[in-house]
Every structure is written in C-alpha cells, then in structure tokens.
C-alpha cells in the first residue's frame, strides 16, 4: 500500500502547471479519487477511477488513472 500511495503522490503533484488558473472538471474528479486512495477506501478508489475513465475518456490524466488502477489491483 505504501508503494501505491507514493506513486499516487508523485502523479498528483504534476497535475497542473502554475500558469493554469482554473481547474478542469476532470482534474477535480481525479483528485477526489486520489483522496480515496490516501484514506485507503479501496472500494471507493476503484469506483472513482473507473468512473473517471468512463466520464473523461479523452483526459490527459487517463494514463495516470489507468496506472493507479493497475497498481491498485496488484496490491
């Protein structure tokens, strides 16, 4: 679980550039899913990231969400 949380921390820290003023809806959804991971709410993590992938199939965060889900299934 530690490895997964470290990976999530690294990914979430690169979400936006400092030049962006607004946070897109996909980023908000992604951050909510990350929050569930930090809280170790396993069922909600799986539901949130799956929902994110279905709701935002063209998001630039899609590869990160897929990787986090893969890591989560490994643990």
């Amino acid at each position: 679980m530690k490895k997964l949380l470290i990976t999530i921390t690294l990914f979430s820290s690169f979400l936006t550039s400092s030049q962006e003023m607004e946070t897109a809806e996909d980023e908000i959804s992604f951050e909510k899913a990350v929050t569930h991971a930090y809280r170790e709410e396993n069922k909600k993590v799986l539901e949130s990231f799956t929902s994110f992938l279905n709701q935002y199939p063209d998001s630039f965060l899609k590869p990160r969400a897929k990787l986090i889900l893969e890591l989560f299934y490994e643990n």
Side-chain angles (χ1 to χ4, degrees), residues 39-73:
R39 294 180 182 165
E40 297 185 19
E41 301 168 336
N42 297 348
K43 186 177 178 183
K44 288 184 179 182
V45 171
L46 298 175
E47 291 171 358
S48 297
F49 279 111
T50 301
S51 174
F52 171 85
L53 291 170
N54 291 329
Q55 206 170 2
Y56 305 102
D58 298 325
S59 173
F60 74 98
L61 295 168
K62 181 180 178 179
R64 295 175 186 171
K66 287 176 107 175
L67 178 60
I68 290 170
L69 274 177
E70 289 173 18
L71 291 171
F72 213 80
Y73 280 117

Side-chain angles (χ1 to χ4, degrees), residues 2-19:
K2 267 187 176 178
K3 181 180 176 183
L4 178 62
L5 291 176
I6 291 169
T7 303
I8 291 170
T9 301
L10 291 173
F11 283 130
S12 64
S13 66
F14 296 108
L15 287 181
T16 58
S17 70
S18 59
Q19 297 172 345

Side-chain angles (χ1 to χ4, degrees), residues 28-45:
I28 293 169
S29 178
F30 185 88
E31 282 297 321
K32 285 181 183 177
V34 168
T35 299
H36 292 302
Y38 281 121
R39 294 180 182 165
E40 297 185 19
E41 301 168 336
N42 297 348
K43 186 177 178 183
K44 288 184 179 182
V45 171

